[in-house]
Amino acid sequence: MPSTPSMPVVEMTGIGKSFGGVPVLRNVDLRLDSGTVVGLLGANGAGKSTLIKILSGVYSADSGTISVDGQHLGSASVTEAQRLGIRTVHQELSLVPSLRVYENVYLHAELTKGRRTPFAPLDRETMIRESRHVLRDVLGIEVDVRATVEDLPIATRQLVEIARAVHERAKVLVLDEPTTSLEAREKAQLFQVVRDLRNQGVAVIFISHHLDEVTDLCDRTIVLRDGAVVVDAPTAELSARDMVTAMTGRLVDHQYPKKQVQLGEPVLAVDGLTREPVYRDVSFVLRRGEILGVVGLAGSGKTELIRGLAGSLPAASGSVTRNGSAVRLGSIRQARRLSLIYLPSDRKVAGIFPEHSVAWNTTISALQRIMGRFGLSPARELSTVNAAIDEYGMKVSGPDQVISRLSGGNQQKVMLARSLLGNADVLLLEDPTRGIDVAAKNDVYELITSLVEAGKSVVLVSSEETEVLGMCDQILVMREGRVRANLAAGDTSLPQIRLIAMSSEGDDE
Ligand SMILES: Nc1ncnc2c1ncn2[C@@H]1O[C@H](COP(=O)(O)OP(=O)(O)OP(=O)(O)O)[C@@H](O)[C@H]1O
Ligand SMILES: [Mg+2]
């Protein structure tokens, strides 16, 4: 590892930025040395993405200076930042869905045969070969590089996005919450890539809400609170508790707020639910007041199963009983009519209406609730939305703020509020705390708890096994499309769940 105390690769000094008169970054200094990984932590809306967008040339700062390798980076220009060697994986994935994987990897940097002119024929063979190399040999995933991006699961898209950033040698690699859709194995692979790049002298900025990832990977940690740096120290000197306290300004309890709720009658029972080849012969009974967790590796069928229950990936065979009657979950509309409401993990699929306000996005599925006698009641809409803003601690300027102007985690809170406001009786939640900061996560768990106390039932599909262990009553572990074990949360452990998820050694029978 290069150890000379040489000039930093990146030096940001006194960075200030306001949106509509509201300061988002205040006098931020960030120094980045080659061959180091710096973790950037902060609550939802603290200013992390804004800071790295300034470094990547997406926004210009209102004040302060930036230099890269001693060269001054002037007003916002993505091209200029890229020329200086800065590669960024943004929080909102930016692949073009209609293009193929390799075309996305080489977007705006297409290889041509001969001289690079607008008329030169494209060198597709090399682009395909190189994309395949980066994805398979470097990132360790099998994906057809000729596949169209919109046909890929979200985890694979995230990896393609990362491939795009690493295929050209960067000086500075910026990763804004790159692990949100990744499972343990893919995460480990990504971390290996980051470590290799560090050893080759690349400087890395790594943003995450997972403190253990930061502890594991980062040499130094910077904590932003309300747009100002409150900690900048070697990671080894910081405990998880120090990090949380710095982020939130208070101590946050790490306990899951699970309460034992008296379980009622079965509200949803499925028997032999099958949709080849993604899920097969799935059976369970969900009772009133119960939280049913579903875990498994990527590709285990857990996401497809919840989509099956939501009606978007309907089963071809098997039976479903809802409150004692046989029903079909053949479409999203049918599931909704049965008060089964689904929260997808991908905000883009979840149908954010980017140009509309927080209020509009929150209440769109709860319209009947806020309809007054003479149509939509603005007063009721306002009170509903204000209550949601309060309950989730959303960082917004007000109900009228356009949703695309919110930080990623705050957009996720709006989506969650929407799914909970509808007339849901059974909630189908897919990674509900994805992208949500440590403090707000606890609020989400409290909310789920109060929902089951009020007699609702929840199916919780999650890539965080600890969350499932901490919050659920019953846990299904899936592997290769089948339920391999149905466990009472009180009788199992993390190692047991992992073993079953990964190999036949852990199976029930
Ligand atoms: N284009 C914009 N216009 C107006 N306000 C914005 C814009 N982009 C960001 N903001 C505001 O700036 C603040 C910081 O947002 P930012 O996206 O940097 O937060 P973050 O730390 O990345 O949060 P998260 O963890 O949720 O991703 C938020 O209050 C957000 O609403
Ligand atoms: Mg962000």
Side-chain angles (χ1 to χ4, degrees), residues 45 48-50 91-92 176-177 207 209 407-409:
K48 304 177 296 295
S49 297
T50 306
Q91 188 171 7
E92 275 68 40
D176 193 350
E177 297 193 35
I207 300 179
H209 288 294
S407 77

Side-chain angles (χ1 to χ4, degrees), residues 34 44 82 87 125 173 254 315 362-363 410 458 464 473:
S34 73
N44 296 134
Q82 287 195 348
R87 297 281 176 279
E125 294 76 48
L173 176 66
H254 268 312
T362 309
T363 56
N410 282 299
V458 175
E464 280 184 53
D473 303 286

